[in-house]
Amino acid sequence: MEALIPVINKLQDVFNTVGADVIHLPQIVVVGTQSSGKSSVLESLVGRDVLPRGTGIVTRRPLIFQLVHVDSEDRRKTNEENGIDGEEWGKFLHTKNKIYTNFEEIRQEIEAETERMSGINKGISDEPIHLKVFSPNVVNLTLVDLPGITKVPVGDQPKDIEIQIRELIVKYISNPNSIILAVTAANTDMATSEALKVAREVDPDGRRTLAVVTKLDLMDAGTDAMDILMGRVIPVKLGIIGVVNRSQLDINMKKPVADAIRDEYAFLQKKYPSLANRSGTKYLARTLNRLLMHHIRDCLPELKTRINVLAAQYQSLLNSYGEPVEDQSATLLQLITKFAAEYCHTIEGTAKYIETAELCGGARICYIFHETFGRTLESVDALGGLTTIDVLTAIRNATGPRPALFVPEISFELLVKRQVKRLEEPSLRCVELVHEEMQRIIQHCSNYSTQELLRFPKLHDAIVEVVTCLLRKRLPVTNDMVHNLVAIELAYINTKHPDFADACGLMNHNIEEQRRNRMRDSPSSVLRDKQVAAVGPPSASPSDQTDSGGMGTWRGMLKRGEDGAMGDRTGPQTPLLNSPQKGHAVNLLDVPVPVSRKLSAREQRDCEVIERLIKSYFLIVRKNIQDSVPKAVMHFLVNHVKDCLQSELVGQLYKSVLLDDLLTESEDMAQRRNEAADMLKALQKASQVIAEIRETHLW
């Protein structure tokens, strides 16, 4: 099991090469307040003076220590390969393969790298420094040193330094694969330990928290830490270990860490003899090593699953970026063909990527035809904008200077054309909506169906331009056809239309029924009607009589509406308004005409008949338009674009002079492809490392 930690170190190296933080590897995170002895604990574990020292906040970036135990054979091999001579050495990730045998240089490099990222104003950064230390005197561990918790900014520190540090600490200890090493000084109240407080926020059960009590030798005279170390004050599941640090004087005097560990052992034997074998730096190192190994063993199954999932995701991402272009002609033709096919499939509803949030493509076009356009036409009133006075005025204007015996046919045609013309605007709006949807399909195909186009922004823009121009060219042609559909209906008012003839016959029957009802109500009018029917109009020609006798034609129906005209003339006459006085000149044009008045019985019948005829014929035309406009749009716009899109794209773009320009990748595409490839390679290597663990029965 001891070999598990080097495996994790190897995984850490794999992911460090790609600078990725997508996998949370098992590690020990050291948390504590400023001046709690964090740095001294770490240096005791390393066995060398390696960390920067000073007042205030010194650790301003996460420092990831990888302690690697090396035997004599590994040491000899490394010395020969790198031309160095030493038992211990260190390597930074940011300095690549440079090897440091002088630990004073390592400390200086940490300070320099900290200032490079965090500046010199005591600010902090969450960008970690990776340091690997090889030594025969260490156990295999991965440690993370974080800035000490502080409350009050000092000097030129940012005012929110406390919040920055806390967020940084929580980011690292929230990793479920981490072990929290909470450092607290023995000469402070354990109940107010900030390290234990923040650890409990992310690890309330304490299954990942180990407490370290430092500065046992600095407690007040007459007091000891026995209750604290025994867990009687605050129990910690993984245990509480006491250590003795080097004093500031020892550090200033360059006291070796090895001597400090010997003095620590002597102090513990004297002061805490019963706990000496469960305290001290060496026991802490062994405990951390054991805990980390067991923790790694528990985390490996989930780690393996996570690595496999990420590998599949990055493989898919890499596939979307595509391979570097080798054959430009074939690549261009392939992309053009794929876009054209996806565009047509989106219209037909057979696209690979089906939109679930809203209607698009052919489904939206269908909705425009049958819901938007259909309902709009149905909402157009057959008599909308047409008043009874308008109808009466049209009838009078069509008769000229002579009083009419019959309702003129031309009045019906003029009025019904006016109403049919109102169907043109919603029909043209239908064309516009379909055109807009076909424009939206371009973006849909670019976003979901042909992600390869994102590699080549110039090709994408060129394709959009070609399709847009094709749609723009077809728009006036389609509009002209819709104009013509309405113009065709206006060109010939077919009063012999079967549906219209049936409507006329029904209205004839209704009007005749109404006339009979009036005759029953007025006996005198019955006699007059019979006399008029027997004698007939004195000026009527035989042909007129023939027409008037027809029950199935609308002309005959109108003529039968004249029966009440004679009686209308015998009624009382309404005097002219503002009649001039006798003896004064009269200007007839100055006589005001009433805007509205009560219509005579004959006028009411005439207007009612015309209105019914208009409504009947309008419904016939509306039905025709509702059926023919979608067909015209499909033929002249939708189907034409589908049929010609491939040839149009090839004709406009498939040219040798355009290949280099159209297939120029976006500036960051090559970089993203390389990053994805590196990450995929790292994940595959990590998966291989975990597979080796299973083969060697370490897991």
Side-chain angles (χ1 to χ4, degrees), residues 508-544:
N508 283 342
H509 176 75
N510 292 339
I511 293 175
E512 183 66 23
E513 182 68 24
Q514 292 175 4
R515 190 176 69 85
R516 285 196 297 267
N517 291 338
R518 287 196 300 271
M519 290 167 60
R520 284 196 302 267
D521 296 339
S522 177
S524 61
S525 64
V526 172
L527 179 61
R528 183 174 66 250
D529 289 342
K530 288 182 178 179
Q531 293 173 350
V532 172
V535 176
S539 60
S541 66
S543 62
D544 292 336

Side-chain angles (χ1 to χ4, degrees), residues 313-485:
Q313 291 176 352
Y314 274 91
Q315 182 65 64
S316 176
L317 182 63
L318 188 61
N319 292 340
S320 69
Y321 292 153
E323 297 294 332
V325 178
E326 295 180 357
D327 187 343
Q328 290 185 327
S329 298
T331 301
L332 179 59
L333 185 59
Q334 178 184 3
L335 290 174
I336 289 175
T337 303
K338 185 173 183 180
F339 179 88
E342 289 295 339
Y343 190 92
C344 296
H345 291 161
T346 303
I347 294 177
E348 296 165 358
T350 57
K352 181 179 178 182
Y353 297 91
I354 300 297
E355 180 66 59
T356 58
E358 61 177 356
L359 292 178
C360 80
R364 192 174 184 87
I365 293 174
C366 179
Y367 182 87
I368 292 171
F369 285 156
H370 301 291
E371 297 293 333
T372 306
F373 177 60
R375 290 181 179 178
T376 302
L377 284 189
E378 290 173 1
S379 68
V380 178
D381 185 11
L383 301 175
L386 195 64
T387 66
T388 304
I389 294 298
D390 294 335
V391 176
L392 183 60
T393 302
I395 294 174
R396 287 182 170 182
N397 286 337
T399 61
R402 298 177 301 279
L405 293 175
F406 312 110
V407 178
E409 181 178 349
I410 190 65
S411 62
F412 163 73
E413 288 198 9
L414 290 174
L415 292 173
V416 80
K417 286 181 179 180
R418 171 180 166 181
Q419 298 306 101
V420 169
K421 185 69 175 176
R422 298 170 60 221
L423 299 175
E424 185 175 45
E425 182 179 351
S427 301
L428 294 175
R429 178 58 180 160
C430 176
V431 178
E432 182 181 350
L433 290 175
V434 174
H435 177 267
E436 290 175 358
E437 177 56 27
M438 296 191 72
Q439 193 73 33
R440 290 177 67 244
I441 295 175
I442 303 174
Q443 191 63 36
H444 173 82
C445 293
S446 301
N447 291 342
Y448 299 100
S449 305
T450 53
Q451 290 194 7
E452 293 90 341
L453 283 179
L454 300 180
R455 294 176 57 192
F456 312 108
K458 292 186 178 180
L459 175 59
H460 174 267
D461 294 343
I463 289 177
V464 170
E465 180 64 24
V466 171
V467 181
T468 301
C469 288
L470 180 59
L471 290 171
R472 192 183 300 122
K473 286 191 296 185
R474 298 306 301 174
L475 185 60
V477 177
T478 311
N479 282 335
D480 289 345
M481 183 59 197
V482 172
H483 277 297
N484 289 336
L485 289 176

Side-chain angles (χ1 to χ4, degrees), residues 26-96:
Q27 56 191 7
I28 299 168
V29 182
V30 185
V31 180
T33 58
Q34 285 186 23
S35 304
S36 62
K38 272 189 320 89
S39 298
S40 296
V41 171
L42 288 171
E43 287 183 337
S44 298
L45 295 173
V46 176
R48 301 294 294 265
D49 289 327
V50 69
L51 296 175
R53 294 286 182 170
T55 59
I57 180 171
V58 177
T59 304
R60 297 188 287 125
R61 288 178 61 182
L63 179 59
I64 299 179
F65 276 107
Q66 288 180 256
L67 305 184
V68 182
H69 178 81
V70 292
D71 54 25
S72 57
E73 180 62 26
D74 293 334
R75 186 168 65 252
R76 182 188 60 79
K77 184 178 179 181
T78 303
N79 289 344
E80 291 178 356
E81 291 178 353
N82 297 278
I84 61 174
D85 184 16
E87 291 187 345
E88 300 173 308
W89 65 91
K91 292 173 63 177
F92 286 99
L93 176 65
H94 63 273
T95 59
K96 305 302 180 185

Side-chain angles (χ1 to χ4, degrees), residues 138-296:
V138 299
V139 295
N140 292 312
L141 288 176
T142 300
L143 302 160
V144 181
D145 185 23
L146 296 174
I149 301 172
T150 185
K151 289 291 185 182
V152 180
V154 296
D156 55 355
Q157 287 182 347
K159 294 186 181 300
D160 62 341
I161 189 69
E162 177 187 1
I163 298 175
Q164 291 185 30
I165 293 176
R166 187 176 186 83
E167 290 177 349
L168 179 59
I169 291 173
V170 170
K171 173 184 175 181
Y172 275 86
I173 65 177
S174 297
N175 171 15
N177 296 335
S178 66
I179 295 175
I180 305 171
L181 190 64
V183 179
T184 304
N187 55 358
T188 61
D189 188 354
M190 192 75 169
T192 61
S193 171
E194 289 290 335
L196 288 176
K197 178 183 176 183
V198 72
R200 282 189 174 180
E201 292 179 4
V202 298
D203 182 32
D205 297 331
R207 290 180 294 182
R208 299 189 288 117
T209 303
L210 174 68
V212 175
V213 179
T214 62
K215 303 182 180 181
L216 293 176
D217 56 332
L218 298 181
M219 296 188 69
D220 293 340
T223 62
D224 61 33
M226 186 63 71
D227 289 342
I228 295 175
L229 297 176
M230 294 296 291
R232 297 181 187 134
V233 178
I234 296 180
V236 180
K237 278 190 177 181
L238 295 184
I240 302 174
I241 299 175
V243 297
V244 177
N245 301 334
R246 290 182 297 168
S247 66
Q248 190 61 46
L249 178 61
D250 293 337
I251 295 172
N252 294 338
M253 297 298 294
K254 305 294 184 181
K255 182 177 181 178
V257 174
D259 294 345
I261 292 177
R262 283 195 298 269
D263 293 343
E264 175 192 48
Y265 179 75
F267 174 84
L268 292 173
Q269 286 290 347
K270 178 181 178 181
K271 190 71 176 178
Y272 302 95
S274 61
L275 297 177
N277 62 339
R278 288 186 290 145
S279 302
T281 301
K282 289 187 176 181
Y283 179 76
L284 174 62
R286 292 195 302 270
T287 302
L288 290 175
N289 179 263
R290 175 178 54 82
L291 290 174
L292 188 58
M293 284 190 299
H294 285 86
H295 199 61
I296 291 172

